[in-house]
Amino acid sequence: MNHTEDSTGTRHDSALPAQELQALLSARHRDPFSVLGPHAVGADGADGVVIRACLPGAGSVGLVDAGGKELAPMEVLHAGGIFAARLGARAPGYRLRIRWRDGSEQCSADPYAFGLLLGEMDLYLIAEGRHLELGSCLGAQWRRVDSVQGVRFAVWAPNAQRVSVIGDFNGWLAARHPMRLRHPSGVWELFVPAEMGARPGCRYKFDLLDPAGHALPDKADPVALATEAPPATASVIAAPGLGAPPFAWHDKDWMQRRAEADRYATPMSVYEVHAASWLGAANDPASGWQTLAQRLVPYVAELGFTHIEFLPVMEHPFGGSWGYQPLSLYAPTARLGPPQAFAAFIDRCHQAGIGVILDWVPAHFPTDPHGLGRFDGTALYEHQDPREGLHQDWNTLIYNLGRHEVRGFLLSGALHWLEHFHADGLRVDAVASMLYRDYSRAAGQWVPNRFGGRENLEAVSFLRELNTVVHERCPGALTIAEESTAWQGVTASTASGGLGFDFKWNMGWMHDTLRYLSHDPIHRAWHHQDMTFGLVYAWSEAFLLPLSHDEVVYGKGAMIGKCPGDAWQRFAGLRAYYGFMWMHPGKKLLFMGGELAQWREWNHDGELDWALLEHPMHRGVQALVRDLNALYRELPALHALDHSPEGFQWVVGDDHQNSVFAWLRRAAPGSDEVVLVVVNMTPVPRHGYRVGAPLAGCWRERLNTDAACYGGSNVGNGGTVMTEARPSHGQPASLSLTLPPLATLVLQYAGARE
C-alpha cells in the first residue's frame, strides 16, 4: 500500500515502522489512537481509510459490515497480532471479526473507531475539583455509545506515559486496550464494546507506565463502583443503577421526613456496628447484607436505637484495619455482597425507621501497591514530602487536599454514599489528624502553613466545603466529626467561620467519665469532677456522647471490665453508668456488645458473645438499654434541648462525699415537662436523701437501673414520690428519696397530685 500523509503529517499507510509496531505490541505506544482504528487517506478521505488493529492472540481478523457481510480481510503487519486493511472512499461502517488462536471468534465494534468520550465540561470540572458525580463519570461506566453497548473506562493519571485497561475481557494484556489521553486534564479514556467481553461483573485494573516508562504495579480503579472480595484486589464493572434491573427504593417517605426533621431537637441514639463481626459465623459474602437485613435491622429496632453507624464499609484490603484504611472510596466491601445488596439493606433500615451513618476516611489511605500511592508513578493523591504525606502512626499516606482533583475525588466520594446509597450521614474519621500539620509529629518533622502556623489550612477549607456541599445537596443528611482536640467551632456554621459539622464526638466526656468509672467507689469522691466537667463545655459544640469500638480494644477491656468490684457491683456500676449517659445532654452512641455486658474485648475476627443472653444479668443490661432508648425517645425533656443550657440544670453537683449527682432536664423553658435524674455511684443505698424539686406534687419513678428486671436489688421508691414543702438545693420543694446502690433514678413530674 502506498504511503500518504494528510496536512498534519499523520501517517495513513497500512504499514508501520518496526519501532512503532514493537511499541504497540509491548504496550508502550504513547498515542495508540494516532495509528489504530480508522484513518482517512488523502484529502478529506478521498482515497478511503486505513484501519489498523492491535490484537495479540488473534489468528486472523477481517472487516465486516453491520449485517456481517465481509468488507475486507486484514493483512498481518506483525505476527504478534497487528493487522491492517484499506477500504474505499465511501466505505460503510465496519466491525472487526476476530478469530482467536484458541478457536473462539468475536465480532465487535472497534474501540479505536469511537471519538472523544468525556465532555469538555466534565474534564474542566474534574480539573477544578468541582465534579461532584465522579462515580458516573470516571471508572467503568456501562454505556451505549453510537448505538453500541459497552463500558467506558476513564481514569485520572496525568503523569503516566501510557495507561491501558486490562481485565477478564482481554486476557489482562495491556497491548489490547491502551487508552487515549485527554490533554490537559490528565484523564485517560477508552470505550470497550460489550461484544469484546467487557460487561458488568468482569474484573479489571489499569496498567500504567510511569513518566520514565517504567512499569507500575497494576492499579485498582480509584473510582470503582464494585470490587472483588479481598484478598483479591481487582475492580469489578458494576451495572448501572445498582443492578439490572435498576434498584427500586421504597424510602421516599423516610427521606422526606429526614429532610424536615430538626436534627438537634430529635432523639438520636446510635448503635455502632462492625458488620462482619456482628454477623460472625453467619458471615457469607454471597448474603452478608441480606442476613444483616434479616437479623440486625429487627434487633436494632427492638432495642430502640434510632441509627446504625457502620465502621467503614468502603472496600479495604486489610480486614484488621476495620475499614479505616480504605482504598475503594466508591465501592462497598465485597466481603458482604454486591452493591445492590447494600442498597437493599439501607432501604430495609429506612422502612423500619432506622437511619444509617457510615464512617468515612478522608484523612489517609494505605500504601498497598494496587492502590492510590504513587498512582501514576508520582505523588498524585498524596503529598510528595513525607513530612506532609506520610502518617507516622498508621504508616499510611495523607491526601494532598491542596490539589483540586484530590479534593474533588473525596467530595464526590462522600456524596456518592449519601446520594447513590441514601446513607443518612457520614462520621468523618480522624479529623484532628487533618486539622494540625504537626499532629503526632516532633519538632522538625512537619511543614508549617504559609503563615508559619500549625493549622492545616487546606484541610480546614476542604472540611468546610464538604459540609457546605453535603447540606446543600442532601437535605437532612448528617456530618459528624471525630475530633479530639479543643479546636473551636467544629459544629459552628461555615458562615460564622466554623467547620460546619452537625455533631462532634465528645471524646473528653468519654475519657473523663470512663476514668471515673474505673476507680473503686471508695476513691470516687476524689474524682467527682470527672463526671461533672463535661457540663462546663457541654454547649460549646453540638455533642454526641460516644462509647465506641476504640474503648473496647487493645487491652482497654470490655465495658463491664472497666467497672471495679465483684460481679454484682460490675453489672450494677455499668447499668448506673449507662443511665448517667442516656440522661446526660448530648446524642448517644454505643458500640455493639456493650448492650450485652460482654466480658471479652471486641475481636474483629470473631463475633459477639450472644450466648451470654442465656444469663439473667446480661439479659438485664440488654433490657436496660432497650428501656433507656424508649424513655429517651418518649420524653422530649431528654432530647428536645440537648444542645441548649436551658434544657439542663444541676440540682446536686457537689456531693463528692456520697458520689451522688442530680440534675433536671426540661423540654422547654418554664415547661412542666421536667425530668429529675439522680445517680448514686457507690454500692451504698442511701435512705432519706433529700433532693430539691422545682415543682410541688407527684414525681413518678420512670426508670431505676437497680430494678430486679435488670438484675438489680430492687431498692427504690415504690413508683411515685410526693414532694415536701421544704426548699432544698435552691428549689422551692424537695423529695426525700431512697437511692439504690450503684444506680440511676429517673423521675418525671406527674402533676400537683398523685
Side-chain angles (χ1 to χ4, degrees):
M1 296 182 184
N2 296 327
H3 169 88
T4 61
E5 292 185 353
D6 64 13
S7 59
T8 67
T10 302
R11 182 191 310 278
H12 292 308
D13 62 351
S14 58
L16 292 172
Q19 183 178 359
E20 202 155 14
L21 292 171
Q22 188 57 42
L24 286 171
L25 290 171
S26 63
R28 290 185 170 273
H29 201 291
R30 296 191 180 204
D31 187 9
F33 276 83
S34 68
V35 291
L36 299 180
H39 293 272
V41 178
D44 299 322
D47 296 328
V49 294
V50 167
I51 299 165
R52 302 185 194 89
C54 182
L55 297 165
S60 64
V61 183
L63 303 180
V64 299
D65 64 14
K69 179 181 178 181
E70 185 169 342
L71 299 174
M74 299 188 79
E75 66 172 314
V76 178
L77 296 186
H78 192 289
I82 300 178
F83 303 83
R86 185 165 174 172
L87 297 179
R90 287 185 170 80
Y94 72 92
R95 293 161 61 77
L96 302 173
R97 176 175 287 164
I98 310 165
R99 293 181 175 86
W100 300 100
R101 290 171 184 162
D102 65 3
S104 61
E105 184 175 305
Q106 282 181 338
C107 190
S108 171
D110 183 357
Y112 298 92
F114 294 91
L116 302 179
L117 300 174
L118 293 180
E120 292 298 327
M121 183 55 70
D122 282 323
L123 298 176
Y124 170 77
L125 291 174
I126 291 170
E128 290 288 306
R130 294 191 290 114
H131 199 305
L132 299 180
E133 298 179 3
L134 292 181
S136 60
C137 176
L138 297 180
Q141 304 293 330
W142 180 244
R143 291 284 190 273
R144 186 175 294 277
V145 178
D146 297 341
S147 77
V148 178
Q149 191 72 53
V151 180
R152 185 190 72 198
F153 294 95
V155 62
W156 178 58
N159 304 305
Q161 189 179 105
R162 188 271 301 145
V163 180
S164 292
V165 59
I166 56 176
D168 293 331
F169 48 87
N170 62 16
W172 299 87
L173 295 176
R176 289 260 189 100
H177 291 119
M179 304 173 77
R180 171 200 285 128
L181 174 61
R182 299 293 302 276
H183 297 281
S185 68
V187 173
W188 300 74
E189 63 179 15
L190 186 71
F191 181 74
V192 181
E195 298 154 324
M196 283 194 162
R199 295 177 177 275
C202 286
R203 300 173 302 155
Y204 71 98
K205 282 186 176 181
F206 294 111
D207 182 295
L208 301 91
L209 300 180
D210 72 12
H214 301 131
L216 294 169
D218 295 342
K219 295 288 188 177
D221 183 359
V223 190
L225 302 181
T227 69
E228 59 180 342
T233 59
S235 304
V236 173
I237 299 170
L242 292 174
F247 183 79
W249 290 93
H250 307 88
D251 63 351
K252 181 179 179 181
D253 291 344
W254 166 271
M255 298 295 279
Q256 183 173 345
R257 290 195 304 271
R258 188 190 81 179
E260 296 170 351
D262 181 344
R263 65 197 68 189
Y264 299 114
T266 54
M268 182 177 175
S269 180
V270 183
Y271 186 62
E272 190 189 26
V273 171
H274 177 259
S277 58
W278 197 93
L279 279 173
N283 188 0
D284 178 357
S287 60
W289 289 118
Q290 182 179 355
T291 304
L292 283 166
Q294 295 168 349
R295 292 176 50 192
L296 176 61
V297 173
Y299 180 78
V300 170
E302 197 275 333
L303 288 187
F305 288 96
T306 64
H307 292 75
I308 299 170
E309 179 178 322
F310 282 111
L311 276 62
V313 300
M314 301 78 193
E315 192 60 271
H316 48 283
F318 176 47
S321 77
W322 315 329
Y324 289 104
Q325 294 188 12
L327 274 179
S328 295
L329 266 65
Y330 290 70
T333 177
R335 293 172 175 87
L336 298 168
Q340 186 172 16
F342 180 55
F345 172 84
I346 294 181
D347 196 42
R348 178 77 69 89
C349 286
H350 288 174
Q351 293 176 66
I354 299 169
V356 178
I357 298 167
L358 304 179
D359 282 10
W360 184 63
V361 188
H364 62 120
F365 58 92
T367 59
D368 297 67
H370 69 282
L372 301 177
R374 299 194 69 82
F375 187 81
D376 62 0
T378 68
L380 190 62
Y381 287 88
E382 71 272 29
H383 294 271
Q384 174 70 33
D385 189 333
R387 294 177 299 168
E388 296 182 278
L390 179 64
H391 201 298
Q392 298 175 349
D393 289 354
W394 303 314
N395 194 31
T396 52
L397 299 173
I398 299 171
Y399 286 105
N400 182 356
L401 297 176
R403 187 158 194 167
H404 296 314
E405 297 92 339
V406 175
R407 290 166 67 104
F409 167 75
L410 291 170
L411 290 171
S412 175
L415 291 172
H416 179 73
W417 300 98
L418 299 171
E419 296 180 337
H420 197 60
F421 286 103
H422 292 201
D424 300 289
L426 299 174
R427 196 278 279 175
V428 182
D429 182 64
V431 170
S433 76
M434 300 175 68
L435 292 175
Y436 300 96
R437 286 177 164 268
D438 63 347
Y439 181 87
S440 195
R441 293 182 185 273
Q445 294 181 345
W446 57 282
V447 179
N449 63 35
R450 63 180 181 272
F451 301 112
R454 59 195 288 256
E455 299 81 9
N456 190 325
L457 303 180
E458 293 80 11
V460 171
S461 173
F462 167 77
L463 292 171
R464 287 173 175 163
E465 185 176 5
L466 166 71
N467 288 314
T468 298
V469 167
V470 166
H471 293 134
E472 286 178 350
R473 292 179 57 125
C474 308
L478 303 174
T479 58
I480 304 166
E482 185 210 18
E483 204 286 310
S484 56
T485 75
W487 186 281
Q488 296 294 309
V490 172
T491 58
S493 69
T494 56
S496 64
L499 297 183
F501 285 95
D502 295 299
F503 297 104
K504 171 182 173 175
W505 274 20
N506 195 336
M507 311 293 281
W509 173 92
M510 178 270 296
H511 287 302
D512 290 347
T513 59
L514 288 182
R515 182 171 59 242
Y516 178 91
L517 186 65
S518 69
H519 290 297
D520 189 287
I522 199 171
H523 299 136
R524 285 176 177 168
W526 287 272
H527 303 278
H528 199 78
Q529 70 281 357
D530 282 344
M531 294 286 270
T532 61
F533 183 66
L535 274 304
V536 173
Y537 59 86
W539 328 119
S540 62
E541 303 277 6
F543 283 119
L544 183 150
L545 311 180
L547 296 178
S548 76
H549 63 280
D550 278 329
E551 310 320 313
V552 291
V553 290
Y554 297 145
K556 297 177 185 176
M559 285 301 303
I560 195 168
K562 301 178 191 300
C563 303
D566 59 23
W568 189 93
Q569 290 189 15
R570 289 184 178 222
F571 278 100
L574 183 63
R575 294 193 304 265
Y577 180 73
Y578 283 170
F580 170 84
M581 171 183 172
W582 255 261
M583 299 302 112
H584 192 286
K587 308 308 182 187
K588 328 295 177 190
L589 179 142
L590 181 67
F591 183 59
M592 64 183 200
E595 80 281 12
L596 307 179
Q598 185 167 298
W599 291 104
R600 294 188 303 162
E601 280 192 341
W602 169 56
N603 175 10
H604 68 272
D605 287 327
E607 62 180 309
L608 299 186
D609 292 334
W610 296 107
L612 292 174
L613 292 177
E614 298 175 6
H615 304 283
M617 297 295 281
H618 293 277
R619 286 201 307 273
V621 175
Q622 185 190 54
L624 174 65
V625 170
R626 180 192 61 222
D627 291 352
L628 284 169
N629 275 329
L631 192 64
Y632 169 65
R633 297 176 71 165
E634 175 193 345
L635 300 182
L638 298 179
H639 59 254
L641 292 178
D642 244 342
H643 308 290
S644 169
E646 295 177 323
F648 176 89
Q649 183 181 3
W650 277 117
V651 177
V652 179
D654 58 356
D655 188 356
H656 299 70
Q657 182 177 357
N658 293 309
S659 296
V660 170
F661 310 83
W663 64 86
L664 299 169
R665 298 293 306 274
R666 287 186 170 86
S671 171
D672 286 354
E673 292 188 52
V674 184
V675 170
L676 172 64
V677 182
V678 187
V679 183
N680 175 16
M681 291 303 290
T682 69
V684 180
R686 305 194 183 280
H687 301 281
Y689 191 95
R690 187 161 300 280
V691 178
L695 298 170
C698 178
W699 289 76
R700 180 183 170 198
E701 193 173 77
R702 293 299 309 273
L703 187 138
N704 177 353
T705 66
D706 188 52
C709 60
Y710 304 137
S713 57
N714 221 30
V715 173
N717 296 275
T720 59
V721 186
M722 295 297 294
T723 60
E724 300 176 15
R726 181 175 170 182
S728 181
H729 300 107
Q731 304 295 330
S734 61
L735 297 165
S736 178
L737 298 174
T738 295
L739 305 187
L742 290 172
T744 294
L745 293 177
V746 182
L747 299 103
Q748 180 187 10
Y749 181 63
R753 297 183 180 180
E754 184 174 353

